Amino acid sequence: MRKLNLVFTSTPGIGNLVPVVEFARLLTNRDRRFSATVLIITIPERPIVNSYIQTRGTALSVHDNDDVNFLHLPTVDPLSADEYQSSLGYLCTLIEKHKPHVKHAITNLMATESGSDNAVSVRVAGLFVDMFCTSMIDVANELGIPSYLYFASPASFLGFLLYFPTLDAQLATEFVDSDTELIVPKDSSITELKIPSFANPLPPLVLPTTALKRKQDGYMWYLYHGRRYLETKGMIVNTFQELEPYAIDSLRVTEMPPVYPIGPVLDLHGLAQWHPDRASQEKIMRWLDDQPPSSVVFLCFGSMGSLSEAQLREIAVGLERTGFRFLWSIREPSKGTIYLPGEYTNLEEILPEGFFHRTAKIGLVCGWVPQVTILAHQAVGGFVSHCGWNSILESLWFGVPMATWPVYAEQQMNAFQLVKEFGLAVEIRLDYREGCDLVLAEELEKGLQQLMDGDDQVRRKVKQMKEKSRTAMMEDGSSYKSLGSLIEELMANIGC
Ligand SMILES: O=c1ccn([C@@H]2O[C@H](COP(=O)(O)OP(=O)(O)O[C@H]3O[C@H](CO)[C@@H](O)[C@H](O)[C@H]3O)[C@@H](O)[C@H]2O)c(=O)[nH]1
């Protein structure tokens, strides 16, 4: 029997790696001719990602149904964080430095193709790179294998990055550059930017911070990746036609590689199972079991999100004022460029005096949470989200209405899309930026009231999108069919 091995490279972050692994599982389960090898880049400073890699890798190796293997790449010499202006600049350089290791690993996989006297022989059929791993396209080219983009953010953001080299010319002429601050329009009449993957013009302030810091290294990487996506044989996006019709259709033009919306691809069980602190995770679920249906507002800011102490205090006051039951995930700001947030040990000192005592009967404050399991719980009635794409897809899958509080990466654009283009969320903020902004207690209070008591239209639309997201993945659903087309294309590209 001959297996076709698909190789995956991923950015070492929860929001990137988990959807890559789930996509690899989806593909190999759908078509038994495929096996998958996920090349693992390790960053020692990210224990939560490493914990996922270890637990998930072990589970996959003993799970009969999944033909997905993790292959750990050797670590590269640490970079000096001081040399980089942004964590994206650091990350992309670090990934690029793994090129020789990726080449070596794939060459070894290919060496087993010929001369294998095993019952199962293997042929490497393609390399999938994620949004920040496009430097690996060179490796695929050198080895003569086709490369594909696997994009774990929305199609709208993919469209944005593809358009970014064009937008750059506009930003260069119409905006004022700065070494440290966000760029601003030269002319106050420029209040909107037209991006082809958005139905509506965007206020400049919902662009990612990286796109508004023209002089920083992250900006150059955005340009680089946007150009390189065009070199792939296909762009696979973790989204679905019914959610992003405008953005997906905007990508279906002749000069672009074909686009395959194959989502939502979610890890519906895994993330709750691999966190080392199982006791805290179980305590949260027991607490939720005691709450009435749809009564709890859940606040969580992603795997990389943390807020200032002043902001945490405003949230505490806002929550207390509304009197809603709440489950609030708080993370301590990271120690530096490449680190992820950690867990607080002294929250009593940070939150308003007496907060824990006064809210003991209605609220639970915690660190890392089993988010998917929480969103699936009937007690949860609303989700204040940082608008990471995985969080959005998860919330829609379980039909939980969201309130938008973007913090970093492309989340401001996602929030804009959710509120202004889809009507699937209540707005707290669209253009919040950690470090320069403060959402006041009364703003949060207003947003929460709208989320939990007010906007029936959002609630109704979210329920409809829940059904559509599930249908998309079923046999003959839009994403199911799109994955089928991708499989045909994969076979055609290697002449099978
Ligand atoms: O306490 C937590 C925090 C997060 N999660 C999970 O971690 C994932 C987080 O993914 P996402 O919501 O996409 O946020 P980020 O971790 O911030 O992901 C990065 O990657 C995404 C996909 O490219 C982007 O959309 C985001 O903006 C970017 O920050 C989700 O599956 C959550 O369920 C937990 O289980 N518990």
Side-chain angles (χ1 to χ4, degrees), residues 148-448:
Y148 302 86
L149 171 69
Y150 177 66
F151 202 78
S153 278
S156 57
F157 184 54
L158 172 57
F160 171 79
L161 287 178
L162 286 162
Y163 183 68
F164 198 51
T166 309
L167 185 68
D168 174 47
Q170 186 182 355
L171 296 179
T173 50
E174 296 177 9
F175 282 66
V176 183
D177 268 350
S178 160
D179 283 330
T180 50
E181 302 299 312
L182 301 180
I183 58 173
V184 286
K186 285 181 182 159
D187 179 345
S188 59
S189 68
I190 304 172
T191 54
E192 292 175 334
L193 294 167
K194 185 75 196 96
I195 314 284
S197 55
F198 286 82
N200 299 288
L202 285 92
L205 276 180
V206 305
L207 261 50
T209 303
T210 302
L212 293 174
K213 291 201 168 174
R214 273 196 88 245
K215 291 196 166 177
Q216 290 207 348
D217 50 9
Y219 189 96
M220 297 315 294
W221 279 105
Y222 263 22
L223 286 171
Y224 174 85
H225 293 307
R227 290 195 178 104
R228 297 223 69 179
Y229 297 157
L230 292 173
E231 295 175 38
T232 61
K233 287 224 170 284
M235 306 185 293
I236 296 93
V237 192
N238 191 9
T239 188
F240 53 107
Q241 184 69 30
E242 294 76 3
L243 178 62
E244 290 200 272
Y246 189 91
I248 293 168
D249 291 347
S250 78
L251 299 172
R252 291 202 162 114
V253 287
T254 42
E255 60 274 23
M256 300 233 188
V259 58
Y260 301 93
I262 47 74
V265 177
L266 306 171
D267 184 359
L268 292 175
H269 309 289
L271 278 173
Q273 286 163 14
W274 58 263
H275 196 275
D277 185 0
R278 295 293 293 276
S280 303
Q281 315 287 296
E282 282 159 15
K283 180 179 161 203
I284 293 166
M285 297 320 294
R286 279 198 305 276
W287 181 84
L288 273 179
D289 288 343
D290 291 336
Q291 313 306 317
S294 303
S295 66
V296 175
V297 57
F298 169 48
L299 300 91
C300 187
F301 297 87
S303 68
M304 299 190 274
S306 59
L307 303 171
S308 68
E309 293 182 8
Q311 185 60 81
L312 294 178
R313 284 192 287 276
E314 288 295 325
I315 295 180
V317 174
L319 284 172
E320 247 193 291
R321 280 199 201 163
T322 65
F324 289 127
R325 289 164 201 269
F326 65 85
L327 175 59
W328 180 14
S329 165
I330 304 184
R331 318 290 309 290
E332 187 173 34
S334 74
K335 296 191 205 103
T337 318
I338 204 65
Y339 290 85
L340 296 176
E343 307 300 341
Y344 274 110
T345 48
N346 60 341
L347 273 169
E348 267 97 351
E349 291 165 25
I350 292 165
L351 298 183
E353 209 180 324
F355 172 77
F356 281 101
H357 178 68
R358 290 190 300 276
T359 59
K361 290 216 169 76
I362 58 162
L364 186 65
V365 176
C366 38
W368 179 271
V369 291
Q371 181 171 296
V372 168
T373 323
I374 289 168
L375 289 169
H377 200 287
Q378 58 157 359
V380 175
F383 179 22
V384 176
S385 174
H386 77 311
C387 300
W389 191 239
N390 296 289
S391 294
I392 290 172
L393 293 176
E394 289 161 7
S395 207
L396 294 175
W397 183 264
F398 293 109
V400 180
M402 286 161 277
T404 58
W405 188 324
V407 184
Y408 52 95
E410 90 294 22
Q411 294 147 19
Q412 290 84 4
M413 282 170 91
N414 296 351
F416 177 85
Q417 196 182 26
L418 272 182
V419 173
K420 302 289 184 195
E421 308 226 321
F422 302 160
L424 284 171
V426 164
E427 174 179 343
I428 292 178
R429 282 285 179 91
L430 300 181
D431 59 2
Y432 178 87
R433 246 165 261 275
E434 180 51 18
C436 9
D437 262 328
L438 195 66
V439 172
L440 298 174
E442 46 269 36
E443 284 180 83
L444 175 64
E445 188 184 0
K446 207 168 124 226
L448 291 185

Side-chain angles (χ1 to χ4, degrees), residues 48-202:
I48 205 148
V49 182
N50 298 331
S51 173
Y52 167 78
I53 292 168
Q54 198 188 357
T55 323
R56 200 73 182 105
T58 311
L60 284 169
S61 63
V62 295
H63 201 296
D64 282 338
N65 286 331
D66 293 314
D67 207 345
V68 178
N69 292 299
F70 284 6
L71 201 160
H72 294 260
L73 298 173
T75 45
V76 297
D77 290 339
L79 311 180
S80 159
D82 304 342
E83 288 173 35
Y84 296 91
Q85 295 146 332
S86 66
S87 53
L88 183 65
Y90 182 100
L91 207 54
C92 293
T93 310
L94 186 90
I95 291 169
E96 190 180 36
K97 280 189 179 278
H98 283 78
K99 255 160 85 169
H101 297 317
V102 170
K103 185 170 179 186
H104 184 71
I106 301 179
T107 308
N108 279 347
L109 290 170
M110 291 170 92
T112 61
E113 286 179 4
S114 53
S116 165
D117 44 5
N118 295 334
V120 181
S121 71
V122 176
R123 174 174 176 190
V124 176
L127 174 67
F128 287 78
V129 300
D130 84 355
M131 62 167 73
F132 299 133
C133 289
T134 63
S135 47
M136 302 307 169
I137 293 171
D138 295 335
V139 176
N141 291 342
E142 284 167 34
L143 297 176
I145 52 176
S147 56
Y148 302 86
L149 171 69
Y150 177 66
F151 202 78
S153 278
S156 57
F157 184 54
L158 172 57
F160 171 79
L161 287 178
L162 286 162
Y163 183 68
F164 198 51
T166 309
L167 185 68
D168 174 47
Q170 186 182 355
L171 296 179
T173 50
E174 296 177 9
F175 282 66
V176 183
D177 268 350
S178 160
D179 283 330
T180 50
E181 302 299 312
L182 301 180
I183 58 173
V184 286
K186 285 181 182 159
D187 179 345
S188 59
S189 68
I190 304 172
T191 54
E192 292 175 334
L193 294 167
K194 185 75 196 96
I195 314 284
S197 55
F198 286 82
N200 299 288
L202 285 92

